Amino acid sequence: MKIHISKLKNTLSTVIKENRTIGVVIPGDTYKDTVREIVEYIYADRSNFWLYVTVTKPYESIIKNFQILSNAPNVEFIDCISQAAGIVKRNGRCTFVDSPTLLENVIMEIHRILQKIPSGYDRNVLIDSLKELKIY
């Protein structure tokens, strides 16, 4: 199902309430605008916890481009690329894994972080980009 970017927030809201898994295929020319829409939705959705797993972009780059996430209390990150590239800056809201090739480590960190979320929060995992992760 193709969805125009202007309808993305409403669609996210609907499918999340239905506890469905969704995949968003984003053309390169609309990547930043589409991710911005998703980020704005995540920031506004304080009743849910979000785990943002970044496979191809360093955590610092995500925060630089989407600054509202830097102070969103309902969002944590797993960065799969920075440590492999040697550009890790420690941060309490981001877990750095050695490499996206170590999928079991990525999965263990996802599980560990989701286990510590207090009850009352729905838990959501955003993987940016699943296509790139499957290469590993």
Side-chain angles (χ1 to χ4, degrees):
M1 161 175 52
K2 280 190 162 183
I3 299 168
H4 189 270
I5 190 170
S6 64
K7 297 180 181 179
L8 185 60
K9 288 181 188 175
N10 289 335
T11 303
L12 285 172
S13 181
T14 301
V15 295
I16 288 169
K17 288 177 185 170
E18 295 175 3
N19 295 314
R20 293 174 43 191
T21 301
I22 62 169
V24 180
V25 178
I26 305 170
D29 61 335
T30 63
Y31 175 82
K32 194 166 184 174
D33 291 334
T34 305
V35 173
R36 180 177 291 112
E37 288 290 315
I38 294 170
V39 163
E40 288 173 2
Y41 176 83
I42 290 170
Y43 182 77
D45 183 28
R46 300 298 174 98
S47 64
N48 285 305
F49 174 83
W50 291 86
L51 179 57
Y52 193 123
V53 181
T54 176
V55 178
T56 59
K57 294 184 178 18
Y59 165 75
E60 292 292 325
S61 176
I62 299 293
I63 293 301
K64 180 180 175 185
N65 288 314
F66 307 109
Q67 293 179 357
I68 62 173
L69 288 182
S70 67
N71 62 6
N74 60 323
V75 181
E76 287 193 32
F77 298 85
I78 294 177
D79 180 329
C80 298
I81 198 70
S82 291
Q83 194 159 319
I87 53 173
V88 177
K89 294 180 181 176
R90 295 291 167 215
N91 181 299
R93 297 189 50 231
C94 184
T95 300
F96 296 91
V97 295
D98 293 334
S99 168
T101 60
L102 302 171
L103 292 177
E104 58 277 355
N105 289 355
V106 175
I107 292 167
M108 286 184 348
E109 288 300 331
I110 289 171
H111 183 71
R112 182 188 64 77
I113 291 169
L114 293 179
Q115 289 299 311
K116 71 179 188 175
I117 304 309
S119 61
Y121 280 99
D122 289 331
R123 296 159 178 87
N124 301 285
V125 178
L126 170 68
I127 300 174
D128 183 5
S129 139
L130 187 57
K131 179 182 173 185
E132 298 303 323
L133 187 59
K134 78 178 193 175
I135 291 171
Y136 298 107

